[in-house]
Amino acid sequence: MRLILLGPPGAGKGTQALRIVQRFGIPQLSTGDMLRAAVTAGTPTGLKAKSIMNSGGLVSDEIVIGIVADRIEEPDCKEGFILDGFPRTVAQAEALDGMLEKKGLNIQCVLELLVDQQALVGRIIRRAEDAQALGQPVRKDDDPEVFKTRLAAYNRDTAVVAPYYAEQGRLKQIDGMQPVDVVTTAIMAAVGE
Ligand code: AMP
């Protein structure tokens, strides 16, 4: 099964993606996680991405598309995958269609988590507090001001991605403001479980 999880930062994509991973045994491909790993490892990609990520902007399509193209060639993606945080622009969505088409594959389901953006800043502050309480590192881009830039980037560049899939009849929308378990149940129903 190949799925895409769309929604603004803080909508709960990462949490829900983990549950899909557990249920279907397919890997979660989070471009944010992959880029953070590249930054930590100090790779050339990481060096290019670091300041953009810290300021809340979008890393170039070229870099992100390259990362995903390499990742979906890995053996663990044979049975499918869930994309979290990608595609974030229509150019990325078109590139993904192109890569999959070459392999005779497609995306079966695109899920969009619908959330009240006013509530997201509060959620992100809690995420930073929870991480701190657990002694985990707090993401630099979970700072409330940087988060607002991320939200602006979402509204400017990424909000058009859901309509791209809706036009193709592939989009399913889920109320992401419900309790986490209820959202999971709705997702499972949407993917036909
Ligand atoms: P995330 O963990 O998905 O919130 O992503 C964290 C940051 O990584 C974003 O704010 C962007 O700077 C960068 N990023 C992640 N995925 C993408 C993408 N598909 N396109 C461009 N930038 C991305």
Side-chain angles (χ1 to χ4, degrees), residues 16-29 82:
Q16 296 299 335
L18 277 180
R19 292 174 172 213
I20 295 169
V21 166
Q22 284 160 1
R23 175 68 189 81
F24 297 106
I26 52 175
Q28 170 196 13
L29 310 190
I82 168 145

Coordinates of all heavy atoms in Angstrom, one line a residue, residues 16-29 82:
Q16 N 0.1 9.9 13.4 CA -0.7 8.9 12.6 C 0.1 8.0 11.7 O -0.2 6.9 11.5 CB -1.8 9.7 11.8 CG -2.8 10.5 12.7 CD -3.6 9.6 13.6 OE1 -3.8 8.4 13.4 NE2 -4.0 10.2 14.7
A17 N 1.2 8.6 11.1 CA 2.0 7.8 10.3 C 2.6 6.6 11.0 O 2.6 5.5 10.5 CB 3.1 8.6 9.7
L18 N 3.0 6.8 12.3 CA 3.6 5.7 13.1 C 2.5 4.6 13.3 O 2.9 3.4 13.3 CB 4.0 6.3 14.5 CG 5.4 6.9 14.5 CD1 5.7 7.4 15.9 CD2 6.4 5.9 14.0
R19 N 1.3 5.0 13.5 CA 0.2 4.0 13.7 C 0.0 3.2 12.4 O -0.3 2.0 12.4 CB -1.0 4.7 14.1 CG -0.8 5.2 15.6 CD -2.0 6.0 16.0 NE -1.8 6.3 17.4 CZ -2.8 6.4 18.3 NH1 -4.1 6.3 17.9 NH2 -2.6 6.7 19.5
I20 N 0.1 3.9 11.2 CA -0.1 3.2 10.0 C 1.1 2.2 9.7 O 0.9 1.1 9.3 CB -0.2 4.2 8.8 CG1 -1.5 5.1 9.0 CG2 -0.2 3.6 7.5 CD1 -1.6 6.3 8.1
V21 N 2.3 2.7 10.1 CA 3.5 1.8 10.0 C 3.2 0.5 10.8 O 3.5 -0.6 10.4 CB 4.7 2.5 10.6 CG1 5.9 1.6 10.9 CG2 5.1 3.7 9.7
Q22 N 2.7 0.7 12.1 CA 2.5 -0.5 13.0 C 1.4 -1.4 12.4 O 1.5 -2.6 12.4 CB 2.1 0.0 14.4 CG 3.2 0.5 15.2 CD 2.8 1.4 16.3 OE1 1.6 1.6 16.6 NE2 3.8 1.9 17.1
R23 N 0.4 -0.8 11.8 CA -0.7 -1.6 11.3 C -0.4 -2.3 10.0 O -0.7 -3.5 9.8 CB -1.9 -0.7 11.0 CG -3.2 -1.3 10.4 CD -3.8 -2.3 11.4 NE -4.9 -3.0 10.7 CZ -4.6 -4.1 10.0 NH1 -3.4 -4.5 9.8 NH2 -5.6 -4.7 9.4
F24 N 0.3 -1.7 9.1 CA 0.5 -2.3 7.8 C 2.0 -2.8 7.5 O 2.3 -3.4 6.5 CB 0.2 -1.3 6.7 CG -1.3 -0.9 6.6 CD1 -1.7 0.4 7.1 CD2 -2.2 -1.8 6.2 CE1 -3.0 0.7 7.1 CE2 -3.6 -1.4 6.2 CZ -4.0 -0.2 6.7
G25 N 2.9 -2.4 8.5 CA 4.2 -2.9 8.3 C 5.0 -2.3 7.1 O 5.9 -2.9 6.5
I26 N 4.5 -1.1 6.7 CA 5.2 -0.4 5.6 C 6.0 0.8 6.3 O 5.6 1.3 7.3 CB 4.2 0.2 4.6 CG1 3.1 1.0 5.2 CG2 3.7 -0.9 3.7 CD1 2.2 1.7 4.2
P27 N 7.1 1.2 5.6 CA 7.9 2.3 6.3 C 7.3 3.7 6.1 O 6.6 3.9 5.1 CB 9.2 2.2 5.5 CG 8.9 1.6 4.2 CD 7.8 0.7 4.4
Q28 N 7.6 4.5 7.1 CA 7.2 5.9 7.1 C 8.3 6.7 6.4 O 9.5 6.6 6.9 CB 7.0 6.4 8.5 CG 6.8 7.9 8.6 CD 7.0 8.4 10.0 OE1 7.5 7.7 10.9 NE2 6.6 9.7 10.3
L29 N 8.0 7.3 5.3 CA 9.1 8.2 4.7 C 8.8 9.6 5.0 O 7.9 10.2 4.4 CB 9.1 8.0 3.2 CG 9.1 6.5 2.6 CD1 9.4 6.5 1.1 CD2 10.2 5.7 3.3
I82 N 4.5 5.0 3.5 CA 3.6 6.1 3.8 C 4.5 7.4 3.7 O 5.5 7.5 4.4 CB 2.8 6.0 5.1 CG1 2.2 7.3 5.4 CG2 3.7 5.5 6.2 CD1 0.9 7.2 6.1

